[in-house]
């Protein structure tokens, strides 16, 4: 099953409540919230208060992506704010294994992300601690960039590693997913698609969602 995780970064923030209602009306279950600290990435966005405000508004599964150099300092706050899943980056200078254990101990699902320059093998030993692996297909920091096709090569590798682990780990892709490339992302093995501008800037968001759900059918037929 393919999950679509609309990224709030691509929404019209002046109308965030309506944008969340749109996601619900489209029948989607996830919402992706990007948090940036101006240090790990050259941009700043949201924070635990924004997550808490969104939590009060919706029951959607809150997929919280932390692009922070020191996420350890904030994970308890994000958990209290109502995050369902917290993703941290493999590239940070911290004991990521211990951090993932801490997130799990807070009763929140765990995610681990790799930037375009990080190989899948770098996180192999951490897979037993992950509920989700997030492959960035752009340099993190900004919405509206083009998907880097070279990053898609990592997906079959990770899919094999996940299958070998025997655990049901989500494989999520984030950055530049559009109507014309989503099939390649799914064919490569992803089952969670983040979409910011692709969905929120679409002339017809329902058609965009239907197209992505159609890919799921294609994949089932191909098996
Ligand atoms: C980028 C963020 C993404 C971003 C995706 O650093 O992690 O979640 O919102 O936006 P689009 O789909 O527009 O590339
Ligand atoms: Zn993201």
């Amino acid at each position: 099953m393919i999950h679509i995780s609309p990224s709030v970064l691509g929404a019209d923030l002046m109308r965030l409540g309506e944008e969340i209602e749109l996601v619900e009306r489209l029948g989607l279950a996830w919402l992706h919230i990007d948090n940036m600290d101006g240090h790990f990435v050259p941009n700043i966005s949201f924070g635990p208060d924004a997550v808490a405000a969104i939590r009060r508004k919706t029951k959607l599964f809150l997929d919280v992506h932390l692009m922070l150099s020191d996420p350890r300092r904030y994970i308890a706050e994000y958990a209290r704010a109502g995050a369902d899943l917290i993703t941290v980056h493999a590239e940070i200078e911290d004991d990521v294994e211990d951090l993932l254990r801490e997130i799990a101990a807070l009763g929140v699902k765990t995610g681990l992300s790799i930037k375009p320059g990080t190989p899948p093998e770098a996180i192999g030993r951490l897979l037993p601690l992950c509920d989700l692996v997030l492959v960035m297909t752009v340099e993190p920091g900004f919405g509206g960039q083009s998907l880097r096709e070279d990053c898609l090569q990592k997906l079959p590798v990770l899919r094999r590693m996940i299958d070998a682990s025997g655990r049901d780990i989500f494989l999520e892709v984030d950055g530049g997913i559009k109507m014309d490339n989503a099939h390649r992302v799914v064919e490569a093995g992803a089952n969670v698609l983040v979409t910011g501008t692709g969905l929120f800037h679409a002339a017809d968001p329902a058609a965009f969602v239907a197209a992505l759900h159609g890919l799921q059918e294609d994949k089932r037929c191909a098996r």
Side-chain angles (χ1 to χ4, degrees), residues 7 9 32 34 36 65 67 136 140-144 174-176 194-197:
S7 175
L9 199 64
H32 185 86
D34 288 310
M36 308 181 190
H65 180 190
M67 287 160 273
M136 291 304 302
F142 299 91
D174 184 3
V194 176
T195 168
T197 51

Side-chain angles (χ1 to χ4, degrees), residues 87-192:
T87 296
V88 295
H89 268 267
E91 299 85 2
I92 56 169
E93 287 173 21
D94 195 347
D95 180 344
V96 176
E97 180 172 347
D98 181 67
L99 189 56
L100 291 168
R101 287 188 203 285
E102 261 200 47
I103 295 170
L106 290 164
V108 176
K109 290 201 184 306
T110 57
L112 183 59
S113 181
I114 51 173
K115 297 204 291 183
T118 305
E121 295 75 20
I123 59 168
R125 68 179 183 89
L126 297 171
L127 282 188
L129 296 168
C130 298
D131 296 307
L132 175 145
V133 169
L134 169 56
V135 174
M136 291 304 302
T137 41
V138 296
E139 280 302 333
F142 299 91
Q145 305 181 71
S146 298
L147 177 139
R148 281 182 47 171
E149 299 275 345
D150 59 314
C151 297
L152 298 182
Q153 301 165 11
K154 299 180 191 179
L155 295 170
V157 179
L158 283 162
R159 174 51 62 203
R160 278 193 294 277
M161 287 161 70
I162 288 171
D163 288 347
S165 79
R167 291 183 57 246
D168 207 2
I169 302 170
F170 291 113
L171 183 51
E172 180 176 57
V173 170
D174 184 3
I177 295 182
K178 296 276 160 30
M179 198 88 114
D180 61 353
N181 59 25
H183 65 283
R184 285 197 291 285
V185 178
V186 171
E187 281 160 14
N191 59 2
V192 185

Side-chain angles (χ1 to χ4, degrees), residues 58-77:
T58 185
K59 292 192 165 54
L60 289 168
F61 181 81
L62 299 185
D63 163 23
V64 174
H65 180 190
L66 300 187
M67 287 160 273
L68 314 177
S69 295
D70 187 11
R72 188 182 293 274
R73 205 166 146 188
Y74 303 101
I75 50 174
E77 261 188 83

